[in-house]
Amino acid sequence: MTHYDAILLVSFGGPEGPGDVVPFLENVTRGRGIPRERLVEVGAHYALFGGASPINGQNRELLGSLRAALADAGIDLPVAWGNRNWAPYLSDALAELKASGAERVLAVVTSAYSSYSGCRQYRENLFDALPPGGGLEIDRIRQYFDHPGFVEPFVDSTVRALAELPDLARAAARLAFTTHSIPTASADASGLLRQPGGAYVAQHRAVATLIAAGVAAETGVEHAWDLVYQSRSGPPTQPWLEPDISEHLEQLSAQGVPGAVMVPIGFVSDHMEVIYDLDTLAAETARELGLPVTRAATPGTDPRFVAMLVDLVQERLTDRPLRDRTALSALGPWREVCAPGCCPNPRGPRPALCGSD
């Protein structure tokens, strides 16, 4: 048995009002030399939604659901919440936990896949947020891309999204599994998998395969699918994963595909990159093309997703052997301690927690 004093829900964070937007974006892009005028331009996207991202509200709901589910499972541990880029900040959450007497904390990260931005950067931020003077040890749950608690909610939401398409478009509709684009160099270096595409692409393809099979089992129809990308933010001279979701919809329309469902498998909740990049930009592209498109919901606070987080906490508390851990694909269950050099920082080495380097 492994003892923990507290659990820390770790997320990205987001602005909660118009005045927060540019300072939040400055936090996200710190060290990259992005001009303030570009941040103001990007921040205008938030104005469409009252100058706020829904992610903090979604995390408050998840925090409440997780606390209740842990209590129901007999796990009597306080659950704190800290963000990388906006209040409540990781540094404040860890300082409060240390002041309360905590010595060992288990981090529950709202990111399911291996990549620099989706894994190691969280680990670096946890290191940066450690209270001065030491005395606080942090572990984390493993990545859960192929856990049924992550996959099954997507199966059900995809089936619902298919049902929302016009009758004539539904049977031959294509599934567009979408996730955050990252530099191809980062994708290739992710997870230390010795295969083309690295862990980031391999994990997403595994999830897409599982969801497509689940949808076929539910509906009796096998839908063709593609893995596509969104939310690119790098310079045009740098190769990033493609195709972009809007470009993909244009290709589907040109091929005569009658409809599509966007399935945002790269995200655990319907935050800004879902409601803007998909529900706003991609949906507008589809309307211009005359292509019927719907969008599947993310897990959010689906009881199966919350139960999965409890299961992953129990893995660490009970030191559950790898062979007894739940995973639906041949890639999992994934490790909770990152190997040396896993998902390296493209700007150079930095110290990080929850790894062996």
Side-chain angles (χ1 to χ4, degrees):
M1 300 288 288
T2 298
H3 172 77
Y4 291 101
D5 303 304
I7 293 169
L8 176 65
L9 181 66
V10 181
S11 194
F12 191 82
E16 299 198 70
D20 298 343
V21 173
V22 172
F24 161 75
L25 293 173
E26 288 174 335
N27 287 343
V28 173
T29 61
R30 182 166 286 116
R32 301 183 196 175
I34 297 177
R36 182 178 175 84
E37 55 267 24
R38 173 57 181 158
L39 300 182
V40 172
E41 179 183 335
V42 173
H45 303 164
Y46 290 84
L48 300 173
F49 307 94
S53 167
I55 191 170
N56 273 9
Q58 292 163 359
N59 278 319
R60 289 187 184 95
E61 293 181 24
L62 180 59
L63 184 67
S65 297
L66 180 58
R67 284 171 171 163
L70 288 166
D72 289 344
I75 300 173
D76 183 20
L77 289 173
V79 186
W81 165 36
N83 291 323
R84 286 171 47 191
N85 298 296
W86 200 248
Y89 288 103
L90 283 174
S91 56
D92 295 331
L94 291 177
E96 291 174 8
L97 288 174
K98 183 179 179 180
S100 72
E103 296 179 351
R104 193 168 190 184
V105 175
L106 182 60
V108 173
V109 181
T110 56
S111 179
Y113 300 93
S114 297
S115 70
Y116 171 69
S117 58
C119 180
R120 189 176 184 93
Q121 193 168 15
Y122 280 89
R123 295 171 48 216
E124 292 175 351
N125 292 158
L126 282 167
F127 178 89
D128 294 340
L130 284 173
L136 194 60
E137 181 179 351
I138 302 176
D139 294 330
R140 65 159 193 185
I141 62 170
R142 64 179 169 93
Q143 285 154 324
Y144 42 80
F145 59 93
D146 61 351
H147 194 290
F150 185 67
V151 173
E152 291 174 0
F154 273 119
V155 172
D156 289 350
S157 67
T158 303
V159 170
R160 291 193 298 269
L162 279 165
E164 295 171 2
L165 287 171
D167 293 344
L168 294 177
R170 190 175 307 126
R174 202 167 182 98
L175 307 181
F177 294 103
T178 181
T179 188
H180 207 298
S181 182
I182 62 174
T184 56
S186 292
D188 291 343
S190 61
L192 295 181
L193 277 187
R194 300 292 188 249
Q195 64 183 69
Y200 186 74
V201 173
Q203 289 170 353
H204 280 88
R205 294 194 67 84
V207 173
T209 299
L210 291 167
I211 296 170
V215 170
E218 289 287 328
T219 65
V221 179
E222 292 188 7
H223 290 270
W225 61 268
D226 305 278
L227 178 61
V228 301
Y229 302 94
Q230 63 176 87
S231 312
R232 174 182 172 141
S233 58
T237 54
Q238 184 181 32
W240 281 53
L241 293 174
E242 298 176 335
D244 176 77
I245 177 62
S246 291
E247 295 173 354
H248 180 65
L249 295 178
E250 292 171 357
Q251 294 169 0
L252 294 184
S253 178
Q255 294 165 6
V257 173
V261 173
M262 299 182 291
V263 189
I265 59 172
F267 308 92
V268 304
S269 64
D270 287 4
H271 56 73
M272 183 60 69
E273 288 174 313
V274 175
I275 64 172
Y276 181 73
D277 293 341
L278 297 182
D279 296 350
T280 305
L281 293 183
E284 178 60 28
T285 296
R287 283 191 294 271
E288 292 173 354
L289 295 167
L291 179 67
V293 167
T294 55
R295 198 261 293 171
T298 52
T301 55
D302 185 290
R304 292 166 293 184
F305 180 72
V306 178
M308 175 201 74
L309 297 180
V310 173
D311 180 52
L312 297 176
V313 168
Q314 290 173 320
E315 283 184 357
R316 299 306 307 265
L317 290 172
T318 62
D319 302 318
R320 189 182 302 165
L322 192 67
R323 66 179 180 275
D324 296 331
R325 299 183 180 190
T326 302
L328 296 177
S329 82
L331 296 179
W334 208 255
R335 63 185 74 85
E336 66 264 3
V337 177
C338 291
C342 186
C343 303
N345 186 327
R347 290 179 290 279
R350 283 187 56 198
L353 300 183
C354 310
S356 51
D357 63 347

